[in-house]
Amino acid sequence: MEETKLKPSCSTRVLILGGSSEATALARALVGRADIAATLSLAGRTLAPIAQPVPTRSGGFGGIDGLVAYLRAERIDLLVDATHPFAARIAHHARAAARLAGCTILKLSRPAWSPQPGDVWHEVATMDEAVTAIGVAPRRVFLTVGSLRLDAFTQAPQHHYLVRTIDPLRTGHGLAHADLIEARGPFDVAAEQRLMRDHRIEVLVTKNSGGDASAAKLVVARKLGLPVVLLRRPEAGTASTSLNDTLAAIEAHRASARRGV
Ligand code: NAP
């Protein structure tokens, strides 16, 4: 685990759990504040994470207990879970650890995508359901579901897959017919349309991540009349807020701390 931190002692200590553009936006909004010392935490999975405007730490905490120990050792006042909407484990750990450490927790998350006229969406809860939803007949499938559960699609070797991930896959994917591409968003509609046309894509399989950076593929699917198999988000245990609401909640927390509430 690597650590780069410099915190003034009398400021509000904020730990942002990151790995999302929302976390970076929050860090950007807090940078330079003398009264707030923000640290951003990354899981450390991405080979070349984008530069962050506040000090960062990288790597897992070691479960709930590890996170509790970190919150206590660093005297964190506010924990902001700004992880990706599909990062369910760390979200659960954050809620539990904040409760145990007596630390305020906020959830910062982008809204989910909702269907627009012309969309042909098949919403599913699991990767196995996504495999079934593609159907039995061989199809050309654009898979943008990350790299962790690609094994589910080995159950359907009749399809040809175009797999897009941020980093190269570290282990074999086990897919009989696949093209692999690495790219990091934001993606625009023209480029997505070119890619999907060039690969003669018939079905898109993706997660309902929400946000603008990766929405272009859905716009293209709508334009081309392609079906989309969309993984629903895991249940969120803490009400989500926007960046502005999160910033307001941080100010409210500071105000009540000053009043000794
Ligand atoms: P996850 O399953 O919810 O978490 C797995 C473990 O990774 C956690 O138990 C924790 O390890 C560690 N971890 C996760 N986020 C962390 C953070 N911000 N700081 C320190 N440790 C963290 O997470 P995931 O779905 O694998 O996602 C990993 C990271 O990638 C997250 O930061 C997430 O925001 C980002 N991301 C995820 C997705 C997605 O689709 N899941 C997409 C884009 C980005 P310990 O138990 O040891 O603390």
Side-chain angles (χ1 to χ4, degrees), residues 17-19 41-43 45 57 59-63 83-84 86-90 93 148 207:
L17 299 176
S41 175
L42 298 171
R45 304 267 172 78
R57 64 163 300 287
F61 295 96
T83 53
H84 187 274
F86 279 83
R89 182 185 289 267
I90 188 68
H93 288 185
L148 296 181
K207 295 173 172 176

Side-chain angles (χ1 to χ4, degrees), residues 64-98:
I64 295 170
D65 292 346
L67 182 51
V68 171
Y70 183 93
L71 294 174
R72 288 187 173 141
E74 297 297 321
R75 288 173 289 119
I76 299 296
D77 302 301
L78 256 170
L79 176 62
V80 183
D81 174 10
T83 53
H84 187 274
F86 279 83
R89 182 185 289 267
I90 188 68
H92 166 65
H93 288 185
R95 288 194 298 277

Side-chain angles (χ1 to χ4, degrees), residues 5-9 11 13-14 37-39 70 74 76:
K5 240 181 330 254
L6 275 178
K7 290 182 177 175
S9 55
S11 48
R13 292 165 179 264
V14 179
T39 299
Y70 183 93
E74 297 297 321
I76 299 296

